Amino acid sequence: MTNFTHPFFDLDGDKLREECGIFGVIGGSEAAATCALGLHALQHRGQEAVGITSFDGSEFFTRRGLGHVADNFSSEETIGELPGTMAAGHVRYSTTGGAGLRNVQPLYADLASGGFAVAHNGNISNARKLRQGLVENGAIFQSTSDTEVIIHLVATSRYPTMLDKLVDALRLVEGAYALIVMTPRGMSACRDPLGIRPLVMGKLGDATVFASETVALDVVGADFVRQVEPGEFVEVDFDGTIRSHRPFGDIPARPCIFEHVYFSRPDSIFNERSVYESRKNIGIELAKESPVEADLVVPVPDSGVPAAIGYSQQSGIPFELGIIRSHYVGRTFIQPSDGARHASVKRKHNANRLLVEGKKIVLIDDSIVRGTTSLKIVQMMRDAGAKEVHFRVASPPTGHGCYYGVDTPERSKLLAGRMDLAAMRTFIQADSLAFVSIDGLYRAVGLADRNNSRPQYCDACFTGDYPTPLTDLLALKEEDAQLNLPVGEDN
């Protein structure tokens, strides 16, 4: 779920941001309270805004707010405003021009068939083209979110049933989506045919629960049943009857491999694998591929910890917390000046000076995006007296943008998009720099190697191998090319 505007990035720039997390429950006596708790477990997937919509059998109720789940859904009075046995919610990151409440999901509309609420994780890569056609035919949009395109496509579908309308709409859609939909007849959950974005199903007593990650099921006390399969539609009515549909046929799945690297919480299960074990295995692969003589393995907290443990175990180099993270610091993009932003790195991370002084250090981080924070952390280690600083990255170089629901800078601002390995090492001022290989990453998640003719995951941010057409991006490039033609040149 993104907006039709340019993304508003964390100015530290070395973390890709998953823009959404979704949660839904049907058949629960305290559906909204369960939903709020589930969203709290998914807070890492979106920290700018949150919304919950409930249904009491006759009417839909919605409450939205900017900020964290706890800022908006921590009181009995608030939860009491969301009655009913069915509820769905959404956490998101905002983007430029899109931080207002009108873009906070779930989005709701009164259709001819009744109320319709949708929570969406992902990004529609032809939303601009679809939106343009809908507007030309008289549609009036209330938000800048690509998710609203789905509502209009459903509203204008000529098919008789809601399932058929939704399938009809999604056949026109390119890109990635995991959806939770509520209507007066029940709840539906679905994933795009490639399963790029995650979605799982659980049971909480008689209630059925859907969530972006298994950790949300754990937190609300639900039992994990299975993942919603790529291209699958799961319908649940108020009697608890569950129906599964596969309208897109059997298409080889390509879920996002970055869920293993960074997006999912380490205590989640993704694609039938422990995320924690995958991250530890990446560290093991890194140690095999890029060994170095050193005294300590130090993670960049917190996302580098599992990979650092794996690197330490494989290499025999002791694991130590050479960087201590403060958990009480806000996002750095609110800082008004470059100086304040630079200071914010030290407010978030501080070197454990007595530990690292005079030592050869292996720093382990999950990724490098722009490289600015990596540079500052390397310098922090040197300022604390580290003798050598070797940087190891638990993902391949991120040299390409993501168009499937991840907040990614344009390629010209990605360090790996404009520099080779030697230049990147010089930029971050490390004594050595190495990334896990793409095949090493695939081995870490339990596969022999990457199948280059039919990749098992979406890894486009590393390889540039996009699994779907990028209609809007290509159209924008064509428009830019036309605008940049020399004066007097024929079109």
Side-chain angles (χ1 to χ4, degrees):
M1 182 281 304
T2 60
N3 297 356
F4 299 95
T5 49
H6 293 294
F8 185 17
F9 303 112
D10 179 347
L11 293 179
D12 277 354
D14 279 337
K15 296 299 176 193
L16 299 180
R17 303 294 186 183
E18 230 291 355
E19 291 186 350
C20 305
I22 58 177
F23 188 94
V25 57
I26 179 171
S29 59
E30 297 180 337
T34 301
C35 189
L37 186 59
L39 291 175
H40 191 272
L42 300 173
Q43 188 74 85
H44 59 287
R45 299 185 76 92
Q47 299 180 30
E48 304 309 320
V50 57
I52 295 176
T53 298
S54 71
F55 180 70
D56 68 354
S58 60
E59 188 176 351
F60 286 87
F61 302 83
T62 296
R63 185 178 177 91
R64 304 183 180 96
L66 304 179
H68 288 188
V69 178
D71 297 332
N72 293 280
F73 295 101
S74 59
S75 69
E76 291 185 9
E77 291 78 12
T78 301
I79 297 299
E81 296 174 5
L82 297 164
T85 60
M86 179 172 69
H90 187 274
V91 290
R92 73 187 289 266
Y93 277 112
S94 62
T95 53
T96 300
L101 286 175
R102 66 175 180 158
N103 287 319
V104 180
Q105 296 191 28
L107 297 185
Y108 175 81
D110 284 308
L111 307 185
S113 56
F116 183 93
V118 58
H120 171 209
N121 175 26
N123 185 53
I124 299 171
S125 58
N126 65 335
R128 185 171 177 265
K129 180 180 179 181
L130 291 171
R131 183 186 180 104
Q132 182 178 354
L134 288 162
V135 170
E136 288 173 354
N137 287 324
I140 300 173
F141 281 76
Q142 300 298 314
S143 74
T144 58
S145 170
D146 61 346
T147 308
E148 193 176 356
V149 169
I150 296 172
I151 296 177
H152 285 277
L153 292 174
V154 170
T156 55
S157 173
R158 295 181 179 274
Y159 281 86
T161 70
M162 180 52 67
L163 175 65
D164 289 337
K165 288 177 183 292
L166 191 55
V167 171
D168 184 38
L170 294 178
R171 286 191 191 280
L172 300 174
V173 164
E174 298 171 1
Y177 54 82
L179 302 176
I180 295 175
V181 173
M182 296 195 301
T183 73
R185 285 160 291 284
M187 178 173 285
S188 298
C190 61
R191 290 172 78 190
D192 65 81
L194 296 175
I196 297 174
R197 301 264 66 88
L199 193 62
V200 296
M201 180 169 64
K203 291 293 288 185
L204 180 60
D206 294 329
T208 300
V209 181
F210 298 99
S212 292
E213 293 184 36
T214 60
V215 66
L217 304 181
D218 297 337
V219 167
V220 303
D223 295 321
F224 172 71
V225 174
R226 63 178 179 85
Q227 69 173 0
V228 176
E229 296 297 329
E232 181 184 18
F233 285 67
V234 179
E235 287 186 302
V236 186
D237 63 25
F238 289 102
D239 295 327
T241 302
I242 299 175
R243 298 179 180 86
S244 173
H245 310 275
R246 301 296 295 269
F248 300 120
D250 190 13
I251 299 172
R254 288 188 65 178
C256 173
I257 202 166
F258 219 91
E259 293 285 347
H260 283 299
V261 174
Y262 177 72
F263 295 145
S264 291
R265 266 180 45 166
D267 46 344
S268 281
I269 306 296
F270 174 65
N271 210 31
E272 301 181 350
R273 290 190 59 81
S274 161
V275 173
Y276 177 79
E277 288 300 322
S278 291
R279 290 178 187 168
K280 222 169 80 167
N281 289 342
I282 295 172
I284 291 171
E285 292 293 331
L286 256 178
K288 291 177 180 177
E289 294 178 349
S290 303
V292 65
E293 289 187 10
D295 302 308
L296 301 176
V297 174
V298 173
V300 177
D302 289 320
S303 54
V305 171
I309 292 171
Y311 194 102
S312 172
Q313 291 177 352
Q314 177 63 31
S315 65
I317 302 171
F319 169 96
E320 294 287 357
L321 296 179
I323 301 172
I324 306 302
R325 180 191 172 197
S326 170
H327 291 266
Y328 304 98
V329 178
R331 299 269 312 275
T332 58
F333 62 63
I334 64 174
Q335 302 302 323
S337 67
D338 286 342
R341 284 194 293 270
H342 294 166
S344 72
V345 174
K346 286 196 172 184
R347 290 190 298 114
K348 282 184 176 180
H349 300 115
N350 190 48
N352 192 345
R353 179 178 292 273
L354 293 180
L355 184 69
V356 305
E357 190 171 12
K359 302 292 198 310
K360 300 177 182 179
I361 305 299
V362 183
L363 279 176
I364 310 286
D365 204 356
D366 62 90
S367 60
I368 295 178
V369 182
R370 296 177 192 259
T372 51
T373 298
S374 302
L375 167 63
K376 295 167 193 171
I377 289 177
V378 169
Q379 187 60 50
M380 182 192 300
M381 291 289 97
R382 297 201 188 281
D383 290 345
K387 186 176 180 181
E388 295 178 8
V389 182
H390 302 274
F391 212 104
R392 296 293 180 266
V393 186
S395 62
T398 304
H400 304 270
C402 176
Y403 303 97
Y404 301 120
V406 178
D407 186 0
T408 316
E410 58 193 72
R411 191 175 186 198
S412 64
K413 295 181 181 178
L414 293 167
L415 198 67
R418 56 191 178 91
M419 295 183 184
D420 62 14
L421 184 65
M424 285 191 282
R425 184 204 65 77
T426 300
F427 179 86
I428 69 170
Q429 300 180 11
D431 291 283
S432 70
L433 171 66
F435 296 78
V436 73
S437 68
I438 190 69
D439 284 333
L441 177 57
Y442 272 76
R443 289 192 294 271
V445 300
L447 298 169
D449 282 307
R450 183 182 193 264
N451 183 339
N452 293 327
S453 62
R454 183 177 286 184
Q456 305 94 317
Y457 281 90
C458 177
D459 53 21
C461 56
F462 307 131
T463 64
D465 183 356
Y466 294 97
T468 73
L470 301 175
T471 298
D472 289 347
L473 179 67
L474 294 174
L476 287 170
K477 286 183 176 179
E478 289 177 3
E479 290 175 13
D480 288 343
Q482 291 293 321
L483 290 172
N484 292 325
L485 283 175
V487 174
E489 185 167 324
D490 291 337
N491 292 334

PDB file of all heavy atoms in Angstrom, residues 120-143:
ATOM      1  N   HIS A 120      -4.875  -3.470   3.334  1.00  0.00           N
ATOM      2  CA  HIS A 120      -4.003  -3.907   2.247  1.00  0.00           C
ATOM      3  C   HIS A 120      -2.546  -3.749   2.640  1.00  0.00           C
ATOM      4  O   HIS A 120      -2.124  -2.687   3.079  1.00  0.00           O
ATOM      5  CB  HIS A 120      -4.320  -3.051   0.999  1.00  0.00           C
ATOM      6  CG  HIS A 120      -3.369  -3.218  -0.134  1.00  0.00           C
ATOM      7  ND1 HIS A 120      -3.130  -2.197  -1.031  1.00  0.00           N
ATOM      8  CD2 HIS A 120      -2.593  -4.249  -0.541  1.00  0.00           C
ATOM      9  CE1 HIS A 120      -2.255  -2.612  -1.944  1.00  0.00           C
ATOM     10  NE2 HIS A 120      -1.905  -3.842  -1.667  1.00  0.00           N
ATOM     11  N   ASN A 121      -1.787  -4.815   2.471  1.00  0.00           N
ATOM     12  CA  ASN A 121      -0.332  -4.762   2.580  1.00  0.00           C
ATOM     13  C   ASN A 121       0.238  -5.082   1.212  1.00  0.00           C
ATOM     14  O   ASN A 121      -0.059  -6.134   0.644  1.00  0.00           O
ATOM     15  CB  ASN A 121       0.166  -5.788   3.610  1.00  0.00           C
ATOM     16  CG  ASN A 121       1.685  -5.853   3.661  1.00  0.00           C
ATOM     17  OD1 ASN A 121       2.369  -4.891   3.337  1.00  0.00           O
ATOM     18  ND2 ASN A 121       2.214  -6.995   4.059  1.00  0.00           N
ATOM     19  N   GLY A 122       1.052  -4.182   0.674  1.00  0.00           N
ATOM     20  CA  GLY A 122       1.637  -4.404  -0.634  1.00  0.00           C
ATOM     21  C   GLY A 122       1.603  -3.138  -1.463  1.00  0.00           C
ATOM     22  O   GLY A 122       1.436  -2.031  -0.937  1.00  0.00           O
ATOM     23  N   ASN A 123       1.749  -3.297  -2.763  1.00  0.00           N
ATOM     24  CA  ASN A 123       1.733  -2.155  -3.662  1.00  0.00           C
ATOM     25  C   ASN A 123       1.252  -2.591  -5.037  1.00  0.00           C
ATOM     26  O   ASN A 123       1.695  -3.617  -5.565  1.00  0.00           O
ATOM     27  CB  ASN A 123       3.128  -1.542  -3.790  1.00  0.00           C
ATOM     28  CG  ASN A 123       3.129  -0.282  -4.629  1.00  0.00           C
ATOM     29  OD1 ASN A 123       2.364   0.643  -4.368  1.00  0.00           O
ATOM     30  ND2 ASN A 123       3.962  -0.250  -5.643  1.00  0.00           N
ATOM     31  N   ILE A 124       0.345  -1.831  -5.602  1.00  0.00           N
ATOM     32  CA  ILE A 124      -0.194  -2.115  -6.934  1.00  0.00           C
ATOM     33  C   ILE A 124       0.654  -1.345  -7.936  1.00  0.00           C
ATOM     34  O   ILE A 124       0.633  -0.113  -7.970  1.00  0.00           O
ATOM     35  CB  ILE A 124      -1.672  -1.705  -7.022  1.00  0.00           C
ATOM     36  CG1 ILE A 124      -2.486  -2.498  -5.994  1.00  0.00           C
ATOM     37  CG2 ILE A 124      -2.215  -1.934  -8.422  1.00  0.00           C
ATOM     38  CD1 ILE A 124      -3.908  -2.017  -5.841  1.00  0.00           C
ATOM     39  N   SER A 125       1.381  -2.072  -8.773  1.00  0.00           N
ATOM     40  CA  SER A 125       2.360  -1.424  -9.645  1.00  0.00           C
ATOM     41  C   SER A 125       1.750  -0.836 -10.914  1.00  0.00           C
ATOM     42  O   SER A 125       2.454  -0.194 -11.697  1.00  0.00           O
ATOM     43  CB  SER A 125       3.477  -2.404 -10.009  1.00  0.00           C
ATOM     44  OG  SER A 125       2.960  -3.558 -10.639  1.00  0.00           O
ATOM     45  N   ASN A 126       0.453  -1.035 -11.119  1.00  0.00           N
ATOM     46  CA  ASN A 126      -0.233  -0.337 -12.218  1.00  0.00           C
ATOM     47  C   ASN A 126      -1.390   0.506 -11.702  1.00  0.00           C
ATOM     48  O   ASN A 126      -2.339   0.810 -12.419  1.00  0.00           O
ATOM     49  CB  ASN A 126      -0.741  -1.329 -13.276  1.00  0.00           C
ATOM     50  CG  ASN A 126      -1.821  -2.265 -12.733  1.00  0.00           C
ATOM     51  OD1 ASN A 126      -1.885  -2.516 -11.531  1.00  0.00           O
ATOM     52  ND2 ASN A 126      -2.659  -2.790 -13.620  1.00  0.00           N
ATOM     53  N   ALA A 127      -1.317   0.925 -10.427  1.00  0.00           N
ATOM     54  CA  ALA A 127      -2.406   1.679  -9.804  1.00  0.00           C
ATOM     55  C   ALA A 127      -2.618   3.029 -10.478  1.00  0.00           C
ATOM     56  O   ALA A 127      -3.759   3.491 -10.623  1.00  0.00           O
ATOM     57  CB  ALA A 127      -2.129   1.871  -8.316  1.00  0.00           C
ATOM     58  N   ARG A 128      -1.547   3.676 -10.895  1.00  0.00           N
ATOM     59  CA  ARG A 128      -1.675   4.993 -11.527  1.00  0.00           C
ATOM     60  C   ARG A 128      -2.484   4.888 -12.814  1.00  0.00           C
ATOM     61  O   ARG A 128      -3.381   5.706 -13.075  1.00  0.00           O
ATOM     62  CB  ARG A 128      -0.277   5.557 -11.803  1.00  0.00           C
ATOM     63  CG  ARG A 128      -0.235   6.966 -12.361  1.00  0.00           C
ATOM     64  CD  ARG A 128       1.217   7.455 -12.361  1.00  0.00           C
ATOM     65  NE  ARG A 128       1.335   8.779 -12.959  1.00  0.00           N
ATOM     66  CZ  ARG A 128       1.647   9.007 -14.230  1.00  0.00           C
ATOM     67  NH1 ARG A 128       1.838   7.980 -15.043  1.00  0.00           N
ATOM     68  NH2 ARG A 128       1.760  10.235 -14.684  1.00  0.00           N
ATOM     69  N   LYS A 129      -2.172   3.870 -13.621  1.00  0.00           N
ATOM     70  CA  LYS A 129      -2.895   3.679 -14.876  1.00  0.00           C
ATOM     71  C   LYS A 129      -4.358   3.333 -14.609  1.00  0.00           C
ATOM     72  O   LYS A 129      -5.272   3.878 -15.254  1.00  0.00           O
ATOM     73  CB  LYS A 129      -2.238   2.571 -15.688  1.00  0.00           C
ATOM     74  CG  LYS A 129      -2.934   2.299 -17.018  1.00  0.00           C
ATOM     75  CD  LYS A 129      -2.233   1.195 -17.789  1.00  0.00           C
ATOM     76  CE  LYS A 129      -2.953   0.909 -19.104  1.00  0.00           C
ATOM     77  NZ  LYS A 129      -2.292  -0.180 -19.871  1.00  0.00           N
ATOM     78  N   LEU A 130      -4.610   2.433 -13.641  1.00  0.00           N
ATOM     79  CA  LEU A 130      -5.983   2.066 -13.314  1.00  0.00           C
ATOM     80  C   LEU A 130      -6.755   3.265 -12.787  1.00  0.00           C
ATOM     81  O   LEU A 130      -7.917   3.483 -13.151  1.00  0.00           O
ATOM     82  CB  LEU A 130      -5.991   0.938 -12.277  1.00  0.00           C
ATOM     83  CG  LEU A 130      -5.488  -0.428 -12.746  1.00  0.00           C
ATOM     84  CD1 LEU A 130      -5.359  -1.374 -11.556  1.00  0.00           C
ATOM     85  CD2 LEU A 130      -6.423  -1.030 -13.798  1.00  0.00           C
ATOM     86  N   ARG A 131      -6.116   4.032 -11.924  1.00  0.00           N
ATOM     87  CA  ARG A 131      -6.773   5.202 -11.339  1.00  0.00           C
ATOM     88  C   ARG A 131      -7.163   6.195 -12.429  1.00  0.00           C
ATOM     89  O   ARG A 131      -8.275   6.756 -12.403  1.00  0.00           O
ATOM     90  CB  ARG A 131      -5.831   5.848 -10.328  1.00  0.00           C
ATOM     91  CG  ARG A 131      -6.413   7.057  -9.584  1.00  0.00           C
ATOM     92  CD  ARG A 131      -5.328   7.685  -8.730  1.00  0.00           C
ATOM     93  NE  ARG A 131      -5.815   8.838  -7.996  1.00  0.00           N
ATOM     94  CZ  ARG A 131      -6.098   8.842  -6.691  1.00  0.00           C
ATOM     95  NH1 ARG A 131      -5.963   7.737  -5.994  1.00  0.00           N
ATOM     96  NH2 ARG A 131      -6.511   9.941  -6.095  1.00  0.00           N
ATOM     97  N   GLN A 132      -6.263   6.424 -13.376  1.00  0.00           N
ATOM     98  CA  GLN A 132      -6.540   7.366 -14.448  1.00  0.00           C
ATOM     99  C   GLN A 132      -7.779   6.946 -15.236  1.00  0.00           C
ATOM    100  O   GLN A 132      -8.657   7.766 -15.547  1.00  0.00           O
ATOM    101  CB  GLN A 132      -5.334   7.461 -15.385  1.00  0.00           C
ATOM    102  CG  GLN A 132      -5.493   8.456 -16.521  1.00  0.00           C
ATOM    103  CD  GLN A 132      -4.244   8.543 -17.377  1.00  0.00           C
ATOM    104  OE1 GLN A 132      -3.219   7.945 -17.074  1.00  0.00           O
ATOM    105  NE2 GLN A 132      -4.329   9.298 -18.457  1.00  0.00           N
ATOM    106  N   GLY A 133      -7.880   5.649 -15.549  1.00  0.00           N
ATOM    107  CA  GLY A 133      -9.045   5.152 -16.276  1.00  0.00           C
ATOM    108  C   GLY A 133     -10.321   5.282 -15.478  1.00  0.00           C
ATOM    109  O   GLY A 133     -11.380   5.647 -16.016  1.00  0.00           O
ATOM    110  N   LEU A 134     -10.249   5.011 -14.179  1.00  0.00           N
ATOM    111  CA  LEU A 134     -11.426   5.121 -13.322  1.00  0.00           C
ATOM    112  C   LEU A 134     -11.899   6.577 -13.216  1.00  0.00           C
ATOM    113  O   LEU A 134     -13.100   6.861 -13.270  1.00  0.00           O
ATOM    114  CB  LEU A 134     -11.112   4.551 -11.934  1.00  0.00           C
ATOM    115  CG  LEU A 134     -10.980   3.029 -11.856  1.00  0.00           C
ATOM    116  CD1 LEU A 134     -10.247   2.616 -10.581  1.00  0.00           C
ATOM    117  CD2 LEU A 134     -12.365   2.366 -11.913  1.00  0.00           C
ATOM    118  N   VAL A 135     -10.969   7.488 -13.050  1.00  0.00           N
ATOM    119  CA  VAL A 135     -11.325   8.913 -12.942  1.00  0.00           C
ATOM    120  C   VAL A 135     -11.953   9.403 -14.240  1.00  0.00           C
ATOM    121  O   VAL A 135     -12.940  10.153 -14.236  1.00  0.00           O
ATOM    122  CB  VAL A 135     -10.081   9.744 -12.569  1.00  0.00           C
ATOM    123  CG1 VAL A 135     -10.373  11.232 -12.702  1.00  0.00           C
ATOM    124  CG2 VAL A 135      -9.634   9.426 -11.146  1.00  0.00           C
ATOM    125  N   GLU A 136     -11.403   8.969 -15.364  1.00  0.00           N
ATOM    126  CA  GLU A 136     -11.961   9.368 -16.664  1.00  0.00           C
ATOM    127  C   GLU A 136     -13.388   8.866 -16.833  1.00  0.00           C
ATOM    128  O   GLU A 136     -14.194   9.474 -17.554  1.00  0.00           O
ATOM    129  CB  GLU A 136     -11.079   8.844 -17.791  1.00  0.00           C
ATOM    130  CG  GLU A 136      -9.748   9.583 -17.905  1.00  0.00           C
ATOM    131  CD  GLU A 136      -8.816   8.957 -18.916  1.00  0.00           C
ATOM    132  OE1 GLU A 136      -9.164   7.868 -19.450  1.00  0.00           O
ATOM    133  OE2 GLU A 136      -7.732   9.525 -19.158  1.00  0.00           O
ATOM    134  N   ASN A 137     -13.719   7.769 -16.144  1.00  0.00           N
ATOM    135  CA  ASN A 137     -15.077   7.217 -16.211  1.00  0.00           C
ATOM    136  C   ASN A 137     -15.974   7.718 -15.082  1.00  0.00           C
ATOM    137  O   ASN A 137     -17.063   7.175 -14.879  1.00  0.00           O
ATOM    138  CB  ASN A 137     -15.020   5.688 -16.195  1.00  0.00           C
ATOM    139  CG  ASN A 137     -14.515   5.126 -17.509  1.00  0.00           C
ATOM    140  OD1 ASN A 137     -14.807   5.666 -18.579  1.00  0.00           O
ATOM    141  ND2 ASN A 137     -13.755   4.046 -17.438  1.00  0.00           N
ATOM    142  N   GLY A 138     -15.507   8.718 -14.338  1.00  0.00           N
ATOM    143  CA  GLY A 138     -16.367   9.355 -13.347  1.00  0.00           C
ATOM    144  C   GLY A 138     -16.106   9.011 -11.901  1.00  0.00           C
ATOM    145  O   GLY A 138     -16.798   9.521 -11.014  1.00  0.00           O
ATOM    146  N   ALA A 139     -15.119   8.168 -11.609  1.00  0.00           N
ATOM    147  CA  ALA A 139     -14.832   7.818 -10.217  1.00  0.00           C
ATOM    148  C   ALA A 139     -14.281   9.039  -9.476  1.00  0.00           C
ATOM    149  O   ALA A 139     -13.530   9.840 -10.029  1.00  0.00           O
ATOM    150  CB  ALA A 139     -13.838   6.672 -10.156  1.00  0.00           C
ATOM    151  N   ILE A 140     -14.673   9.161  -8.211  1.00  0.00           N
ATOM    152  CA  ILE A 140     -14.191  10.246  -7.355  1.00  0.00           C
ATOM    153  C   ILE A 140     -13.423   9.619  -6.205  1.00  0.00           C
ATOM    154  O   ILE A 140     -13.993   8.888  -5.377  1.00  0.00           O
ATOM    155  CB  ILE A 140     -15.358  11.091  -6.823  1.00  0.00           C
ATOM    156  CG1 ILE A 140     -16.142  11.710  -7.993  1.00  0.00           C
ATOM    157  CG2 ILE A 140     -14.848  12.168  -5.877  1.00  0.00           C
ATOM    158  CD1 ILE A 140     -17.406  12.421  -7.570  1.00  0.00           C
ATOM    159  N   PHE A 141     -12.121   9.877  -6.131  1.00  0.00           N
ATOM    160  CA  PHE A 141     -11.263   9.279  -5.103  1.00  0.00           C
ATOM    161  C   PHE A 141     -11.207  10.175  -3.868  1.00  0.00           C
ATOM    162  O   PHE A 141     -11.173  11.399  -3.971  1.00  0.00           O
ATOM    163  CB  PHE A 141      -9.856   9.048  -5.657  1.00  0.00           C
ATOM    164  CG  PHE A 141      -9.740   7.820  -6.515  1.00  0.00           C
ATOM    165  CD1 PHE A 141     -10.237   7.812  -7.813  1.00  0.00           C
ATOM    166  CD2 PHE A 141      -9.146   6.668  -6.026  1.00  0.00           C
ATOM    167  CE1 PHE A 141     -10.130   6.682  -8.611  1.00  0.00           C
ATOM    168  CE2 PHE A 141      -9.040   5.531  -6.807  1.00  0.00           C
ATOM    169  CZ  PHE A 141      -9.528   5.528  -8.105  1.00  0.00           C
ATOM    170  N   GLN A 142     -11.184   9.539  -2.710  1.00  0.00           N
ATOM    171  CA  GLN A 142     -11.139  10.257  -1.439  1.00  0.00           C
ATOM    172  C   GLN A 142      -9.762  10.222  -0.790  1.00  0.00           C
ATOM    173  O   GLN A 142      -9.541  10.846   0.230  1.00  0.00           O
ATOM    174  CB  GLN A 142     -12.165   9.643  -0.469  1.00  0.00           C
ATOM    175  CG  GLN A 142     -13.592   9.696  -0.976  1.00  0.00           C
ATOM    176  CD  GLN A 142     -14.078  11.116  -1.186  1.00  0.00           C
ATOM    177  OE1 GLN A 142     -13.877  11.977  -0.319  1.00  0.00           O
ATOM    178  NE2 GLN A 142     -14.704  11.378  -2.329  1.00  0.00           N
ATOM    179  N   SER A 143      -8.835   9.425  -1.364  1.00  0.00           N
ATOM    180  CA  SER A 143      -7.496   9.305  -0.783  1.00  0.00           C
ATOM    181  C   SER A 143      -6.482   9.283  -1.913  1.00  0.00           C
ATOM    182  O   SER A 143      -6.834   9.257  -3.095  1.00  0.00           O
ATOM    183  CB  SER A 143      -7.379   8.013   0.035  1.00  0.00           C
ATOM    184  OG  SER A 143      -7.290   6.879  -0.819  1.00  0.00           O
TER     185      SER A 143
END
